[in-house]
């Protein structure tokens, strides 16, 4: 029998908190039942073994997906979505910043509003300053690139119905961005205010490199807006260049002023830099197309374990 709720949690270096997290999830009363999917995303500690042990001793259904290496949060979430069976699926982090007690409220809100997706938002976030800035910038970029609903906060703690999950897992590209996939499937989206707690232990696995990779996935994989901006920028610069030519001709005929080496080099460097940026952008698109055509994997599952209660 399919449960009412599936909970997907990407796990990374969380062996010390997993037991407490699963214990709290086990105590949740969900009408229709629940299941948990733990995706070990190449953790360097004993998270994989801890997940396996929890699945063996759990009093409710747990599936453990152990990935062969670290693929990143969105790839790990996608690996978990391939295993869900619930009518609704909640995606959350493993660090207790999304309190398990808020899960029932989030599910009830999704069922009451009958929306395809319900995101959460917070009065105050307990992330570090740079992480909050990165999150803010990601949402502003999504406003521009993904044309997301105005004011919607793209949080990692969200609830999806079965329709959205089934459409998302059809994606075969090696660079998934879950929120981009959601916005491609549906705009029947709602949101709910929830609590946000300080991280219980350790530090965030997000680095500047990972944030940059996330932004590139958003920009290049789910929109051609950067190419359109490059085209408009090229047209604008061509117009400016043409006007500069007219100005130089006029000054030469009127004042007999010779062309200056400094101004010539400045213009040359500016235009050359812009051309290289545009070529790099086109190269990024082509590179990702090449990797997709050559079937670069989204993830590789080393082990898959189901608890006896499944």
């Amino acid at each position: 029998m399919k449960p009412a709720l599936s909970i997907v949690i990407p796990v990374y270096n969380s062996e010390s908190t997993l037991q407490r997290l699963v214990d709290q999830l086990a105590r949740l009363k969900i009408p229709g039942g629940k299941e948990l999917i733990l995706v070990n995303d190449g953790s360097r500690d004993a998270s994989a073994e801890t997940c396996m042990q929890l699945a063996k001793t759990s009093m409710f259904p747990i599936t453990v997906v152990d990935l062969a290496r670290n693929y990143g949060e969105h790839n790990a979430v996608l690996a978990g979505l391939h295993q869900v069976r619930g009518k609704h699926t909640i995606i959350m982090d493993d660090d207790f910043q999304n309190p398990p007690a808020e899960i029932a409220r989030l599910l009830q809100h999704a069922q009451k509003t009958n929306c395809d997706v319900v995101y959460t938002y917070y009065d105050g976030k307990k992330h570090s300053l740079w992480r909050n800035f990165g999150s803010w910038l990601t949402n502003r970029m999504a406003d521009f690139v993904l044309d997301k609903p105005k004011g919607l906060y793209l949080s990692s703690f969200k609830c999806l119905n079965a329709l959205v999950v089934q459409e998302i897992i059809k994606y075969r590209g090696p660079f998934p961005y879950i929120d981009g996939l959601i916005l491609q499937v549906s705009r029947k989206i709602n949101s709910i205010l929830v609590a946000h707690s300080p991280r219980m232990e350790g530090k965030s696995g997000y680095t500047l490199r990972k944030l940059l990779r996330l932004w590139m996935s958003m920009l290049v994989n789910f929109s051609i807006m950067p190419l359109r901006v490059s085209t408009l920028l090229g047209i604008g610069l061509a117009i400016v260049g043409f006007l500069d030519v007219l100005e130089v001709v006029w000054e030469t005929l009127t004042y007999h002023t010779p062309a200056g080496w400094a101004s010539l080099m400045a213009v040359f460097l500016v235009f050359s830099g812009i051309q290289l940026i545009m070529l790099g952008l086109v190269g990024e698109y082509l590179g990702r197309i090449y990797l997709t055509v050559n079937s670069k994997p989204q993830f590789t599952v080393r082990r898959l374990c189901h608890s006896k209660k499944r």
Side-chain angles (χ1 to χ4, degrees):
M1 181 178 177
K2 293 184 178 181
L5 176 64
S6 299
I7 304 170
V8 175
I9 303 179
V11 175
Y12 185 69
N13 294 344
S14 303
E15 66 169 307
S16 61
T17 58
L18 280 171
Q19 181 69 62
R20 279 172 286 177
L21 179 59
V22 172
D23 287 345
Q24 291 190 27
L25 294 174
R27 290 194 291 268
L28 288 177
K29 303 298 182 182
I30 304 294
K34 62 183 181 292
E35 68 172 356
L36 174 62
I37 293 91
L38 297 172
V39 185
N40 178 51
D41 189 22
S43 297
R44 298 177 181 176
D45 60 6
S47 292
E49 289 70 23
T50 302
C51 289
M52 295 293 178
Q53 185 61 35
L54 289 170
K56 292 177 182 179
T57 59
S58 173
M59 299 303 294
F60 73 105
I62 294 181
T63 295
V64 178
V65 184
D66 184 23
L67 301 185
R69 67 172 181 83
N70 179 258
Y71 285 88
E73 179 185 358
H74 290 260
N75 296 68
V77 169
L78 192 59
L81 293 179
H82 278 272
Q83 301 298 324
V84 304
R85 299 178 299 144
K87 296 177 182 178
H88 285 85
T89 298
I90 285 180
I91 302 169
M92 63 184 294
D93 295 333
D94 62 350
D95 54 11
F96 282 95
Q97 292 197 284
N98 307 137
E102 297 283 16
I103 288 176
R105 286 185 59 236
L106 177 54
L107 176 61
Q108 290 168 5
H109 187 77
Q111 293 170 333
K112 180 180 178 181
T113 58
N114 197 32
C115 287
D116 293 329
V117 184
V118 176
Y119 279 91
T120 60
Y121 65 97
Y122 320 105
D123 275 340
K125 295 179 64 179
K126 308 300 182 181
H127 289 313
S128 61
L129 183 62
W130 85 270
R131 177 73 187 276
N132 283 335
F133 173 74
S135 179
W136 174 85
L137 185 57
T138 299
N139 275 270
R140 297 293 76 76
M141 290 171 63
D143 286 334
F144 178 67
V145 176
L146 303 179
D147 191 28
K148 73 177 177 67
K150 186 177 181 180
L152 177 67
Y153 176 71
L154 301 178
S155 64
S156 59
F157 187 28
K158 47 187 167 275
C159 182
L160 291 62
N161 66 12
L163 169 67
V164 174
V165 171
Q166 291 305 311
E167 290 300 314
I168 285 177
I169 63 176
K170 293 178 182 178
Y171 179 72
R172 292 293 177 264
F175 305 101
Y177 175 54
I178 300 300
D179 297 309
L181 292 169
I182 288 173
L183 292 173
Q184 286 184 348
V185 173
S186 175
R187 293 303 171 98
K188 194 175 180 182
I189 299 173
N190 208 302
S191 59
I192 182 174
L193 176 67
V194 299
H196 193 258
S197 303
R199 188 179 181 90
M200 181 169 287
E201 289 185 20
K203 60 181 181 179
S204 173
Y206 261 110
T207 61
L208 180 59
R209 179 182 177 184
K210 290 183 177 181
L211 283 174
L212 289 173
R213 187 192 307 170
L214 175 64
W215 294 336
M216 287 305 298
S217 292
M218 182 196 308
L219 287 170
V220 177
N221 285 73
F222 294 90
S223 174
I224 60 171
M225 186 64 71
L227 292 177
R228 290 175 177 170
V229 171
S230 297
T231 300
L232 293 174
L233 181 60
I235 293 173
L237 289 174
I239 293 173
V240 171
F242 178 72
L243 294 176
D244 283 344
V245 169
L246 294 179
E247 181 184 0
V248 169
V249 171
W250 180 77
E251 288 183 355
T252 300
L253 295 176
T254 307
Y255 301 105
H256 304 288
T257 303
W261 180 85
S263 60
L264 178 63
M265 289 302 298
V267 171
F268 173 76
L269 290 173
V270 169
F271 276 79
S272 297
I274 293 173
Q275 287 174 341
L276 288 174
I277 291 172
M278 292 180 179
L279 286 173
L281 183 60
V282 173
E284 185 71 27
Y285 275 95
L286 291 176
R288 288 178 179 244
I289 292 172
Y290 171 79
L291 292 173
T292 301
V293 170
N294 281 276
S295 301
K296 178 181 178 180
Q298 295 172 340
F299 51 83
T300 300
V301 178
R302 184 185 303 277
R303 290 180 292 177
L304 184 63
C305 174
H306 301 292
S307 65
K308 296 180 180 180
K309 292 289 184 178
R310 183 179 168 93

